[in-house]
Amino acid sequence: MQLSSRRALAQFFPVFSSIVNASDKDLAISDDLFAVQKFLSENSPLLRALTNPSYNCDGKKALINKLFSSQLNKASVEIITSVIVMRWGTETDLLEALETLGIESLILQADKANKLSEVEKDLFTIVRILKDNKILRNTLTDIRTYSVEQRLSLVDKLFSNNLNEYSFKLLTRAVVHAKRTGLSVYILDLAEKVANHTDRLLVNVSVAQPMTDQQSSRLQEILAKAYGKQIIINELIDKELIGGIRIRIGETVIDGSVLSSIVQARQRLADRK
């Protein structure tokens, strides 16, 4: 998403949050936003018209009301009409904005239901399941062999009875959008969004062997002092690291693993030749 589009979305978020928090429709807003995002992605001429800055804003609003007012709830239509008249850098930016708002709506509703902690735990559990089950991981990301409907049907069969409604919806969005190598990363990004709503910081820690309680507590203490926030540690076991630790905080990676040291040593030797 272009910088101008990200800024526009950030400016709209307080208004969006107030609309969602005032609604009693629970999951309806997120479902509506995802449905409209899909509809526009499949209708290029309409998407092009709605993102054309030369088109009249009142005309765009009238078109949205004509298309969706009888099918979507009032709060959803209010959000969509507000989003449509904003200036978007590209057509893709508008689609990404609708997806982002759908995700944020789920998180806001989970917060209202006091389910955020449960959602966090669910997302971490899903990542561990995917890491331990290569066949499942590959199936859920194999877009050439399996349709979206087939992959979502598998998700429903395996997870619908074990997750709350908010966690399940977030998982389905991850499956719809994540590429083959990025499903777990996408889910961890969702967990990071959840943590941000509680003013906590999600830290993904990869180690070759499980940390002791003392090591985990010490790491939390160090990071809390450094970042000034309560720390949530998501521990991931990666035996390829051999030893040491790799820490990922958002886009920042602190690599203190033995594997990293070996790679760097090999690189230094190669540079000397």
Side-chain angles (χ1 to χ4, degrees):
M1 184 181 289
Q2 293 185 1
L3 179 59
S4 60
S5 297
R6 289 201 299 270
R7 286 175 175 169
L9 187 60
Q11 291 173 354
F12 175 63
F13 192 77
V15 176
F16 165 78
S17 298
S18 66
I19 296 173
V20 174
N21 287 328
S23 173
D24 60 355
K25 296 298 183 180
D26 205 19
L27 297 176
I29 293 178
S30 58
D31 287 344
D32 288 346
L33 291 171
F34 295 143
V36 171
Q37 193 262 8
K38 183 175 185 294
F39 179 79
L40 293 180
S41 69
E42 296 171 348
N43 290 271
S44 297
L46 176 60
L47 177 61
R48 195 175 305 116
L50 292 174
T51 52
N52 189 331
S54 65
Y55 283 19
N56 182 275
C57 289
D58 289 337
K60 291 180 180 180
K61 289 182 179 180
L63 179 57
I64 291 299
N65 277 294
K66 181 179 179 180
L67 290 172
F68 301 118
S69 60
S70 63
Q71 304 177 48
L72 310 181
N73 77 73
K74 184 178 179 180
S76 300
V77 174
E78 182 180 357
I79 291 168
I80 293 165
T81 53
S82 297
V83 170
I84 291 300
V85 299
M86 294 161 62
R87 186 179 289 270
W88 299 104
T90 65
E91 296 168 16
T92 303
D93 283 357
L94 172 57
L95 296 178
E96 188 175 339
L98 290 170
E99 179 70 21
T100 298
L101 292 174
I103 295 295
E104 293 292 345
S105 175
L106 280 172
I107 296 173
L108 286 169
Q109 295 289 359
D111 192 14
K112 284 174 62 177
N114 295 316
K115 295 285 188 179
L116 279 186
S117 295
E118 187 177 329
V119 169
E120 278 182 344
K121 292 177 183 178
D122 285 344
L123 294 176
F124 293 152
T125 298
I126 292 167
V127 169
R128 294 187 180 97
I129 290 173
L130 292 174
K131 181 175 177 58
D132 294 338
N133 194 321
K134 183 178 180 180
I135 294 176
L136 175 61
R137 184 173 69 248
N138 288 343
T139 300
L140 292 179
T141 54
D142 189 348
I143 61 176
R144 294 184 178 180
T145 306
Y146 304 103
S147 67
V148 171
E149 291 74 20
Q150 288 174 315
R151 287 180 283 130
L152 290 179
S153 177
L154 178 60
V155 168
D156 182 69
K157 181 179 179 180
L158 295 177
F159 293 100
S160 61
N161 293 327
N162 301 307
L163 302 175
N164 68 49
E165 54 190 349
Y166 309 103
S167 303
F168 181 75
K169 286 282 186 180
L170 290 172
L171 174 58
T172 61
R173 298 317 294 177
V175 171
V176 166
H177 289 285
K179 297 179 181 179
R180 175 176 291 276
T181 58
L183 180 56
S184 292
V185 172
Y186 194 104
I187 295 171
L188 287 174
D189 285 343
L190 293 177
E192 187 173 338
K193 290 179 185 293
V194 173
N196 288 339
H197 273 261
T198 58
D199 199 32
R200 295 182 292 175
L201 186 65
L202 173 63
V203 178
N204 294 297
V205 179
S206 298
V207 289
Q209 299 292 334
M211 293 187 292
T212 64
D213 291 342
Q214 184 178 4
Q215 289 172 327
S216 180
S217 297
R218 178 57 179 158
L219 180 59
Q220 280 184 309
E221 181 182 341
I222 293 171
L223 293 173
K225 288 182 179 179
Y227 287 91
K229 289 187 175 183
Q230 182 181 348
I231 301 298
I232 306 170
I233 288 183
N234 177 41
E235 183 177 320
L236 300 169
I237 306 302
D238 186 352
K239 296 188 181 299
E240 292 183 0
L241 296 180
I242 304 174
I245 189 171
R246 178 185 294 150
I247 299 172
R248 176 176 174 263
I249 306 172
E251 296 182 358
T252 301
V253 177
I254 305 169
D255 197 337
S257 65
V258 172
L259 176 61
S260 176
S261 299
I262 292 173
V263 171
Q264 291 173 18
R266 287 175 176 173
Q267 185 61 53
R268 286 194 293 270
L269 289 173
D271 290 342
R272 293 175 182 174
K273 293 180 180 180

